[in-house]
Amino acid sequence: MNDTPAEPRRVLWSAVVLAFLAVLIDGFDTAALAFSVPSLATGWGLEEAAFTAPLVLTNLGVVVGYLYSGPLSARLGRRRVLIGGVAFFAVSTLATAALLPLESIAVLSVTRVLTGVGLGAVLPAAVALATDHSPAERHERVSVTVTLGLASGATLGGVFGGRMLDAIGPAGVFWVAGGAPLVLAAVMLWALPADRVPAGARAREGERVGLLLRPGVRTDTLLIWLFSFMAFLSAYTLQSWVPTLMTDFGFAESEAPMGLAFFSFGGIVGGIGLIWLASRIGIAPSLCVTTIVGAACAFTVARVELPDALLFLVLAGTGAGLIGSQIGQLTMAVSVYPAATRTTGVGWAAALGRAGSIVGPAVGGVLLGLSLPGRDIVLLTTVPVLAALLAAVVLWRRRAGTPAAARG
């Protein structure tokens, strides 16, 4: 007897909206430390590069969360993992706020790595749960919509970060970033729909990572992982250090978060554009477009003297390309993997990306410590983008010209 639930006939928007909000708060929390670094450095009497460890460890925690989101979802259910992840990073962020007056890099690093674990559990479960409650032809659009929450949250951080720092200080920022997800977790307990893919032994079998490397999807998986690593490396180098780099470009500390705001807002525009583009030419060629846009705009920022307003616009173009690429690789994972392996597929694609997000900010911190000019650091971010472009082109050619049964 087939006990697989029938495919939904329409999108369950309550699931999509709650998943989007969870990822949005995830994105704001991730950005909170980035836009707080210049203020914290001044207040603590440290160089910005001293905050490399908590920035990197946040991403390390996220990688752990991504890797365990699939197995935990198979055992506990995607709904429980999503709600639990939101609650966990909320409590960890509140701990950051409470302990920030200690002015300890070590303590900040510990609370941020714990926060990262919760943040990482959220995205794969959110994308998988939302797509479970939508028909197959809407999976890519729903995936992009939910994943746009990351850029939306970072944009809110960039737009309001400077005002929040002036009004309530860095500790206040983390109190807000921790309180909001606690409220959302309570709402999700009441309103989030039940899982359509039941947890249990069969689910645990379907979420084995080895299934991502079986014949038929192996090469696609490796290409997605390579693309993810390179795209995230560039995007998170800029997302983590753009506020700091803006001060190197001559902006005041209170103005520096606007660089992150434009970069992240560009990511929202890129994600929306990706929905339109993928519906017309497919997700694989769309990834080629986003990487080209990201590399071209980053090169322009690095090598062309621009008026402030135009600089922010080109930064937005960089975000459109790079963050659009991040969103696109998760959408590609959704399109490649069936429902039974979707959480693990999305989680591992995101984890390989976040591995790049660990390397990128770490290298950026080293380069800042060596007093490398901000423009040169931006220029270096174009190198991995070009590697991601190569992976996207190969993936496009494979999926366009080779039958699925022959792939791998």
Side-chain angles (χ1 to χ4, degrees), residues 6 36 63 65 89 106 108-109 113 141 153 158 169 187 206 262 275 285 297 301 322 325 339 367 372 374 389 398 405:
S36 297
V63 169
F89 81 69
L108 181 60
S109 297
V113 75
R141 294 183 183 182
V187 173
F262 275 87
I275 297 175
C297 290
V301 169
L322 298 186
S325 297
L367 296 177
L372 193 71
L389 173 60
R398 277 180 48 77

Side-chain angles (χ1 to χ4, degrees), residues 34-367:
F35 69 71
S36 297
V37 163
S39 179
L40 287 171
T42 299
W44 294 10
L46 299 173
E47 296 293 330
E48 288 91 344
F51 290 85
T52 299
L55 286 169
V56 170
L57 287 172
T58 299
N59 290 324
L60 179 61
V62 171
V63 169
V64 173
Y66 282 156
L67 295 179
Y68 280 94
S69 185
L72 284 175
S73 294
R75 183 175 296 276
L76 303 175
R78 290 165 178 168
R79 183 179 185 274
R80 289 181 179 177
V81 170
L82 178 53
I83 296 173
V86 170
F88 188 85
F89 81 69
V91 172
S92 300
T93 301
L94 292 175
T96 298
L99 297 173
L100 210 58
L102 296 178
E103 298 188 2
S104 168
I105 293 292
V107 171
L108 181 60
S109 297
V110 171
T111 59
R112 289 306 296 178
V113 75
L114 292 174
T115 301
V117 173
L119 295 172
V122 166
L123 180 61
V127 171
L129 184 67
T131 53
D132 285 346
H133 288 280
S134 62
E137 66 269 16
R138 295 296 185 92
H139 281 178
E140 290 187 359
R141 294 183 183 182
V142 167
S143 171
V144 171
T145 299
V146 173
T147 310
L148 272 173
L150 287 175
S152 301
T155 300
L156 288 176
V159 171
F160 297 106
R163 299 175 188 175
M164 292 178 69
L165 289 171
D166 289 340
I168 57 179
V173 168
F174 288 104
W175 283 116
V176 172
L182 274 186
V183 174
L184 179 62
V187 173
M188 289 195 296
L189 277 171
W190 169 68
L192 193 67
D195 290 305
R196 297 190 70 258
V197 179
R202 290 182 61 185
R204 290 195 293 273
E205 176 66 20
E207 292 287 4
R208 289 189 300 112
V209 67
L211 295 179
L212 306 181
L213 298 173
R214 70 188 187 279
V217 296
R218 181 189 305 121
T219 303
D220 288 346
T221 291
L222 295 176
L223 287 168
I224 290 172
W225 288 357
L226 175 61
F227 182 93
S228 300
F229 181 86
M230 294 299 177
F232 272 68
L233 189 156
S234 295
Y236 270 84
T237 299
L238 291 176
Q239 185 166 313
S240 296
W241 291 114
V242 153
T244 301
L245 293 175
M246 288 294 96
T247 61
D248 192 47
F249 277 51
F251 292 90
E253 287 182 5
S254 61
E255 299 173 320
M258 289 303 297
L260 178 60
F262 275 87
F263 181 80
S264 301
F265 178 74
I268 297 176
V269 174
I272 294 172
L274 185 68
I275 297 175
W276 178 85
L277 192 63
S279 67
R280 284 156 177 77
I281 65 175
I283 187 61
S286 297
L287 294 181
C288 299
V289 174
T290 57
T291 49
I292 290 171
V293 170
C297 290
F299 181 86
T300 302
V301 169
R303 283 293 173 261
V304 180
E305 292 288 342
L306 300 171
D308 291 353
L310 189 54
L311 174 63
F312 282 134
L313 288 177
V314 179
L315 265 177
T318 307
L322 298 186
I323 297 176
S325 297
Q326 291 178 246
I327 295 169
Q329 60 88 19
L330 294 179
T331 303
M332 175 61 77
V334 168
S335 71
V336 167
Y337 304 119
T341 60
R342 189 168 295 139
T343 308
T344 294
V346 171
W348 273 77
L352 267 292
R354 282 290 185 143
S357 75
I358 294 170
V359 175
V363 173
V366 171
L367 296 177

